[in-house]
Amino acid sequence: CPTGAMSITRQGMRDLIGALGGETHDAVKKGTTYLLIPKNDGFRKGSKFRAAMSSGTPVITEEEFAALILPTYEELMLG
């Protein structure tokens, strides 16, 4: 569930996640794997952040997400 202003558009992030086999949603819900936030700590006060905290959904930054997907992204792009 991406939220906030990131280095690419929100739709671009959704497209990337979809290309890697993931799903995105507009809200944190049961089964959400991660809440993806920009590095800006201001997002740690929003409703999606609070929903993630109360549901036990891990919150990761865009940089942490990039580190997670890099091997899969490289495999897709480089074959």
Side-chain angles (χ1 to χ4, degrees):
C1 180
T3 191
M6 301 199 192
S7 63
I8 63 174
T9 65
R10 193 172 299 175
Q11 186 59 50
M13 187 62 75
R14 287 183 178 133
D15 292 345
L16 174 59
I17 292 168
L20 295 169
E23 297 179 7
T24 62
H25 305 281
D26 291 329
V28 175
K29 61 183 189 172
K30 184 177 180 179
T32 299
T33 306
Y34 297 108
L35 174 64
L36 178 58
I37 64 171
K39 195 173 187 178
N40 180 339
D41 286 339
F43 289 95
R44 297 185 187 275
K45 298 176 183 172
S47 61
K48 287 183 184 176
F49 182 79
R50 288 191 306 271
M53 292 293 96
S54 67
S55 68
T57 299
V59 177
I60 61 172
T61 64
E62 185 177 6
E63 291 83 6
E64 291 168 320
F65 175 71
L68 284 173
I69 68 162
L70 187 59
T72 305
Y73 181 78
E74 287 178 336
E75 183 178 315
L76 284 173
M77 298 306 289
L78 302 175

